[in-house]
Amino acid sequence: GNSVTQMEGPVTLSEEAFLTINCTYTATGYPSLFWYVQYPGEGLQLLLKATKADDKGSNKGFEATYRKETTSFHLEKGSVQVSDSAVYFCALSEENTPLVFGKGTRLSVIA
Amino acid sequence: GAGVSQSPSNKVTEKGKDVELRCDPISGHTALYWYRQSLGQGLEFLIYFQGNSAPDKSGLPSDRFSAERTGGSVSTLTIQRTQQEDSAVYLCASSPYGGRGLGYTFGSGTRLTVV
């Protein structure tokens, strides 16, 4: 079945550091890929998405590129802020199937 | 309403009791999903409703779990004879599309604690 594996946290960074959260996937077909974010005390929100190979999703300074050859969708940000502290979930979906999520990576950014 | 509404926001129940969790999706969204978020386990898919089709129940962990969606709108997730391992945050999402993971809006969840 389909699955998503993402790096375990927690990840602790200083403000303005570079962020990478690794995500790899297993799928039977050609999925769409997503990053969701859950800020403290808030609900799950879509951060960015990519629907086909080589697409780059971007939002709020975060980027991820759909790499079919390596089955990866790593999340990156060049300079993190304290307000980026949250739990980040990588997810995939194929046609007419619900989102499948990774276990989440908690990011803490300290000033 | 403007978003997906879940109630109650918190529920504490005794082991062995039944509980019902409610989800009000965004009006007009044909697809509705239930997930469970446990510490260290990420989001686990439970059940998926799409329009008038038979629901996809493949994620329900046991026959103590069931869900229904009345009139294509409100959904209720029922857990019978609750166990301590059922303690988790139960999330509902709705989507206008029903495919390829697009357009999901999540509710704030119901935190269930079984004591």
Side-chain angles (χ1 to χ4, degrees):
Chain A
N2 295 346
S3 66
V4 174
T5 303
Q6 59 183 106
M7 61 187 290
E8 292 189 19
V11 174
T12 302
L13 295 174
S14 297
E15 210 165 21
E16 300 182 4
F18 185 87
L19 169 71
T20 299
I21 301 178
N22 290 338
C23 171
T24 57
Y25 68 89
T26 302
T28 53
Y30 299 95
S32 295
L33 301 174
F34 305 83
W35 277 100
Y36 276 80
V37 60
Q38 189 173 39
Y39 296 104
E42 298 185 17
L44 209 59
Q45 304 172 26
L46 177 65
L47 180 60
L48 53 84
K49 68 179 187 291
T51 57
K52 62 183 188 296
D54 299 325
D55 271 2
K56 178 186 285 187
S58 61
N59 186 25
K60 299 182 180 180
F62 291 88
E63 293 183 339
T65 301
Y66 189 141
R67 300 287 188 201
K68 186 167 177 287
E69 63 276 15
T70 55
T71 62
S72 65
F73 193 54
H74 304 321
L75 182 68
E76 296 182 336
K77 186 173 186 182
S79 176
V80 293
Q81 305 300 313
V82 172
S83 57
D84 294 325
S85 297
V87 181
Y88 293 82
F89 293 90
C90 186
L92 70 80
S93 177
E94 291 191 87
E95 193 69 39
N96 294 324
T97 63
L99 281 171
V100 173
F101 288 88
K103 292 189 176 183
T105 303
R106 182 176 298 278
L107 169 67
S108 294
V109 181
I110 54 177
Chain B
V4 176
S5 178
Q6 292 188 244
S7 60
S9 55
N10 281 285
K11 176 72 176 178
V12 179
T13 190
E14 292 181 351
K15 178 181 171 181
K17 294 285 179 69
D18 298 352
V19 294
E20 287 189 350
L21 312 180
R22 177 186 168 103
C23 173
D24 278 280
I26 292 174
S27 178
H29 279 196
T30 59
L32 186 147
Y33 313 82
W34 283 99
Y35 287 84
R36 178 168 69 176
Q37 184 175 14
S38 307
L39 195 61
Q41 295 300 314
L43 278 86
E44 175 188 4
F45 164 71
L46 298 177
I47 188 168
Y48 160 40
F49 297 89
Q50 172 56 43
N52 296 321
S53 302
D56 176 355
K57 304 179 182 180
S58 60
L60 294 178
S62 77
D63 58 9
R64 297 186 295 105
F65 288 72
S66 63
E68 61 178 23
R69 187 179 185 192
T70 53
S73 181
V74 172
S75 178
T76 302
L77 177 69
T78 301
I79 309 173
Q80 294 179 310
R81 305 181 302 281
T82 51
Q83 304 295 313
Q84 287 185 329
E85 61 263 27
D86 299 334
S87 296
V89 176
Y90 289 81
L91 293 172
C92 176
S94 69
S95 165
Y97 306 113
R100 298 201 67 83
L102 299 176
Y104 281 46
T105 300
F106 281 84
S108 298
T110 294
R111 181 176 298 277
L112 175 67
T113 304
V114 182
V115 297

Coordinates of all heavy atoms in Angstrom, one line a residue, chain A residues 30-32 34 36 38 43-44 49 51 89 93-104, chain B residues 33 35 37 39-43 45 48 56 91 98-108:
Chain A
Y30 N 0.9 7.4 -9.6 CA 1.5 8.7 -9.6 C 0.7 9.7 -8.7 O -0.2 10.3 -9.1 CB 1.5 9.2 -11.1 CG 2.2 8.3 -12.0 CD1 1.6 7.3 -12.7 CD2 3.6 8.4 -12.1 CE1 2.3 6.5 -13.5 CE2 4.3 7.6 -12.9 CZ 3.7 6.6 -13.7 OH 4.4 5.7 -14.5
P31 N 1.2 9.7 -7.5 CA 0.4 10.5 -6.5 C 0.6 12.0 -6.6 O 1.5 12.5 -7.2 CB 1.0 10.0 -5.2 CG 2.4 9.7 -5.5 CD 2.4 9.1 -6.9
S32 N -0.3 12.7 -6.0 CA -0.1 14.1 -5.6 C 0.6 14.2 -4.2 O 0.3 13.3 -3.4 CB -1.4 14.9 -5.6 OG -2.0 15.0 -6.8
F34 N 2.0 16.5 -0.7 CA 1.5 17.6 0.1 C 2.4 17.8 1.3 O 3.0 16.8 1.8 CB 0.1 17.4 0.6 CG -0.9 17.2 -0.5 CD1 -1.1 15.9 -1.0 CD2 -1.7 18.2 -1.0 CE1 -2.0 15.6 -2.0 CE2 -2.6 18.0 -2.0 CZ -2.8 16.7 -2.5
Y36 N 1.6 19.5 5.0 CA 0.6 20.2 5.9 C 1.4 20.7 7.2 O 2.4 20.1 7.6 CB -0.5 19.2 6.4 CG -1.6 19.1 5.4 CD1 -1.5 18.3 4.2 CD2 -2.8 19.8 5.6 CE1 -2.5 18.2 3.3 CE2 -3.9 19.7 4.7 CZ -3.7 18.9 3.5 OH -4.7 18.8 2.6
Q38 N 0.8 22.1 11.3 CA -0.1 22.2 12.5 C 0.6 23.1 13.5 O 1.5 22.6 14.2 CB -0.4 20.8 13.0 CG -1.5 20.8 14.1 CD -1.9 19.4 14.5 OE1 -1.0 18.5 14.6 NE2 -3.2 19.2 14.7
G43 N -5.6 23.9 14.0 CA -5.9 22.8 13.1 C -4.9 22.6 12.0 O -4.0 23.4 11.9
L44 N -5.0 21.5 11.3 CA -4.1 21.2 10.2 C -4.4 22.1 9.0 O -5.5 22.2 8.6 CB -4.3 19.7 9.9 CG -3.2 18.9 9.3 CD1 -2.0 18.9 10.3 CD2 -3.7 17.5 9.0
K49 N 1.8 22.1 -2.2 CA 1.5 20.8 -2.8 C 2.2 20.8 -4.2 O 2.6 21.8 -4.7 CB 0.0 20.6 -3.0 CG -0.7 21.6 -4.0 CD -2.2 21.3 -4.1 CE -2.8 22.1 -5.2 NZ -2.9 23.5 -4.9
T51 N 1.6 18.3 -7.9 CA 0.7 17.3 -8.4 C 1.4 16.4 -9.5 O 0.8 15.4 -9.9 CB -0.6 17.9 -9.0 OG1 -0.2 18.8 -10.0 CG2 -1.4 18.5 -7.9
F89 N 3.7 17.8 8.4 CA 3.3 16.5 7.9 C 3.4 16.4 6.4 O 2.9 17.2 5.7 CB 1.8 16.2 8.3 CG 1.6 16.0 9.8 CD1 1.2 17.1 10.5 CD2 1.6 14.8 10.4 CE1 0.9 17.0 11.9 CE2 1.4 14.6 11.7 CZ 1.0 15.7 12.5
S93 N -1.6 11.5 -2.0 CA -2.9 10.9 -2.4 C -2.9 10.5 -3.9 O -2.3 11.2 -4.7 CB -4.0 12.0 -2.2 OG -5.3 11.5 -2.6
E94 N -3.5 9.4 -4.1 CA -3.7 9.0 -5.5 C -5.2 9.1 -5.9 O -6.0 9.4 -5.0 CB -3.3 7.5 -5.7 CG -1.8 7.4 -5.6 CD -1.3 6.0 -6.1 OE1 -1.1 5.8 -7.3 OE2 -1.1 5.1 -5.2
E95 N -5.5 8.9 -7.1 CA -6.9 9.2 -7.6 C -7.9 8.5 -6.7 O -7.8 7.3 -6.4 CB -7.0 8.6 -9.0 CG -8.3 9.1 -9.7 CD -8.2 10.6 -10.0 OE1 -7.2 11.1 -10.4 OE2 -9.3 11.2 -9.9
N96 N -8.9 9.3 -6.2 CA -10.0 8.7 -5.4 C -9.6 8.0 -4.2 O -10.3 7.1 -3.7 CB -10.9 7.8 -6.3 CG -11.5 8.6 -7.4 OD1 -11.9 9.7 -7.2 ND2 -11.6 7.9 -8.5
T97 N -8.4 8.3 -3.6 CA -8.0 7.7 -2.3 C -7.8 8.9 -1.3 O -7.3 9.9 -1.7 CB -6.8 6.9 -2.4 OG1 -5.7 7.7 -2.9 CG2 -7.0 5.7 -3.4
P98 N -8.0 8.6 -0.1 CA -7.8 9.7 1.0 C -6.3 10.0 1.1 O -5.4 9.1 0.7 CB -8.4 9.1 2.2 CG -9.2 7.9 1.8 CD -8.7 7.4 0.5
L99 N -6.0 11.1 1.7 CA -4.6 11.4 2.0 C -4.0 10.4 3.0 O -4.6 10.0 3.9 CB -4.6 12.8 2.7 CG -4.6 14.0 1.8 CD1 -4.8 15.3 2.6 CD2 -3.4 14.2 0.9
V100 N -2.8 10.1 2.7 CA -2.0 9.2 3.5 C -0.9 10.1 4.1 O -0.1 10.7 3.4 CB -1.4 8.0 2.8 CG1 -0.4 7.3 3.7 CG2 -2.5 7.1 2.3
F101 N -0.7 10.1 5.4 CA 0.2 11.1 6.1 C 1.4 10.3 6.7 O 1.3 9.2 7.1 CB -0.5 11.8 7.3 CG -1.5 12.8 6.8 CD1 -2.8 12.5 6.6 CD2 -1.1 14.1 6.7 CE1 -3.7 13.4 6.2 CE2 -2.0 15.1 6.3 CZ -3.4 14.8 6.1
G102 N 2.5 11.1 6.8 CA 3.6 10.6 7.6 C 3.3 10.9 9.0 O 2.3 11.4 9.4
K103 N 4.3 10.5 9.9 CA 4.1 10.6 11.3 C 4.3 12.0 11.9 O 4.0 12.3 13.0 CB 5.0 9.7 12.1 CG 4.6 8.2 11.8 CD 5.4 7.2 12.7 CE 4.9 5.8 12.5 NZ 5.5 4.9 13.4
G104 N 4.8 12.9 11.0 CA 4.9 14.3 11.5 C 6.3 14.6 12.0 O 7.0 13.7 12.6
Chain B
Y33 N -13.9 13.0 5.5 CA -12.9 12.1 6.0 C -12.8 12.1 7.5 O -12.9 13.2 8.1 CB -11.5 12.4 5.4 CG -11.5 12.7 3.9 CD1 -11.9 13.9 3.4 CD2 -11.2 11.6 3.0 CE1 -11.9 14.1 2.1 CE2 -11.2 11.9 1.7 CZ -11.5 13.1 1.2 OH -11.5 13.4 -0.2
Y35 N -10.0 11.1 10.5 CA -8.6 10.6 10.8 C -8.5 10.6 12.4 O -9.2 11.3 13.1 CB -7.6 11.6 10.3 CG -7.4 11.5 8.8 CD1 -8.2 12.2 7.9 CD2 -6.4 10.8 8.2 CE1 -8.1 12.2 6.5 CE2 -6.2 10.7 6.8 CZ -7.1 11.4 6.0 OH -6.9 11.3 4.7
Q37 N -5.4 11.1 15.3 CA -4.0 11.6 15.5 C -3.6 11.2 16.9 O -4.1 11.7 17.9 CB -4.0 13.1 15.4 CG -2.6 13.6 15.5 CD -2.5 15.1 15.2 OE1 -3.5 15.8 15.2 NE2 -1.3 15.6 15.0
L39 N -0.3 10.3 19.6 CA 1.1 10.8 19.9 C 2.0 9.8 19.3 O 2.0 8.6 19.5 CB 1.3 10.9 21.4 CG 2.5 11.7 21.8 CD1 2.4 13.1 21.4 CD2 2.7 11.6 23.3
G40 N 2.9 10.3 18.4 CA 3.9 9.5 17.8 C 3.4 8.6 16.6 O 4.2 7.9 16.0
Q41 N 2.2 8.7 16.3 CA 1.6 7.9 15.2 C 1.2 8.7 14.0 O 0.7 8.1 13.1 CB 0.5 7.0 15.7 CG 0.9 6.0 16.8 CD 1.9 5.0 16.3 OE1 1.7 4.5 15.2 NE2 2.9 4.8 17.1
G42 N 1.3 10.0 14.0 CA 0.8 10.8 12.9 C -0.7 10.7 12.8 O -1.4 10.5 13.7
L43 N -1.1 10.9 11.5 CA -2.6 10.9 11.2 C -2.9 9.6 10.6 O -2.4 9.2 9.5 CB -3.0 12.0 10.3 CG -3.2 13.4 11.0 CD1 -1.9 14.1 11.1 CD2 -4.2 14.2 10.2
F45 N -5.8 7.3 8.8 CA -7.1 7.3 8.2 C -8.0 6.3 8.8 O -7.7 5.2 9.0 CB -6.8 7.0 6.7 CG -8.1 6.7 5.9 CD1 -9.0 7.6 5.7 CD2 -8.4 5.4 5.5 CE1 -10.2 7.3 5.0 CE2 -9.5 5.0 4.9 CZ -10.5 6.0 4.6
Y48 N -13.9 7.2 4.9 CA -14.1 8.2 3.9 C -15.5 8.1 3.2 O -15.9 7.0 2.8 CB -13.0 8.0 2.8 CG -13.1 8.6 1.4 CD1 -13.7 9.8 1.2 CD2 -12.7 7.9 0.4 CE1 -13.8 10.3 -0.1 CE2 -12.8 8.4 -0.9 CZ -13.3 9.6 -1.1 OH -13.4 10.1 -2.4
D56 N -15.7 4.2 2.3 CA -14.5 3.4 2.4 C -14.1 3.3 3.9 O -13.7 4.2 4.5 CB -13.4 4.2 1.7 CG -12.0 3.5 1.8 OD1 -11.9 2.5 2.5 OD2 -11.1 3.9 1.1
L91 N -9.9 13.8 14.0 CA -10.0 14.9 13.1 C -10.9 14.6 12.0 O -10.9 13.5 11.4 CB -8.6 15.3 12.5 CG -7.6 15.8 13.4 CD1 -6.2 15.9 12.7 CD2 -8.0 17.2 14.0
G98 N -13.1 15.1 -3.6 CA -13.1 13.7 -3.4 C -12.0 12.9 -4.1 O -12.1 11.7 -4.1
G99 N -11.0 13.6 -4.6 CA -9.9 12.8 -5.2 C -8.6 13.6 -5.2 O -8.6 14.8 -5.1
R100 N -7.5 12.8 -5.2 CA -6.2 13.3 -5.3 C -5.8 14.3 -4.2 O -4.9 15.1 -4.4 CB -5.9 13.9 -6.7 CG -6.1 12.9 -7.8 CD -5.4 13.3 -9.1 NE -3.9 13.3 -8.9 CZ -3.1 12.3 -9.0 NH1 -3.7 11.1 -9.3 NH2 -1.8 12.4 -8.9
G101 N -6.5 14.2 -3.1 CA -6.0 14.9 -1.9 C -6.2 16.4 -2.0 O -5.7 17.2 -1.2
L102 N -7.0 16.9 -3.0 CA -7.1 18.3 -3.1 C -8.2 18.9 -2.3 O -9.3 18.3 -2.1 CB -7.3 18.7 -4.6 CG -6.2 18.2 -5.6 CD1 -6.6 18.5 -7.0 CD2 -4.9 18.9 -5.2
G103 N -8.0 20.1 -1.8 CA -9.1 20.9 -1.3 C -9.6 20.5 0.1 O -10.7 20.8 0.5
Y104 N -8.7 19.7 0.8 CA -9.1 19.3 2.2 C -9.2 20.5 3.1 O -8.2 21.3 3.1 CB -8.1 18.3 2.8 CG -8.2 16.9 2.4 CD1 -8.3 16.5 1.0 CD2 -8.1 15.9 3.3 CE1 -8.4 15.2 0.6 CE2 -8.1 14.6 2.9 CZ -8.3 14.2 1.6 OH -8.3 12.9 1.2
T105 N -10.2 20.6 3.9 CA -10.3 21.6 5.1 C -10.5 20.7 6.3 O -11.5 20.0 6.4 CB -11.4 22.6 4.9 OG1 -11.2 23.4 3.7 CG2 -11.4 23.6 6.1
F106 N -9.6 20.9 7.3 CA -9.7 20.1 8.5 C -10.4 20.9 9.6 O -10.3 22.1 9.7 CB -8.3 19.7 9.0 CG -7.7 18.6 8.3 CD1 -7.0 18.8 7.1 CD2 -7.8 17.3 8.8 CE1 -6.5 17.7 6.4 CE2 -7.3 16.2 8.1 CZ -6.6 16.4 6.9
G107 N -11.1 20.2 10.4 CA -11.7 20.8 11.7 C -10.6 20.8 12.7 O -9.5 20.3 12.5
S108 N -10.9 21.4 13.9 CA -10.0 21.5 15.0 C -9.8 20.2 15.8 O -9.0 20.1 16.7 CB -10.4 22.7 15.9 OG -10.3 23.9 15.2

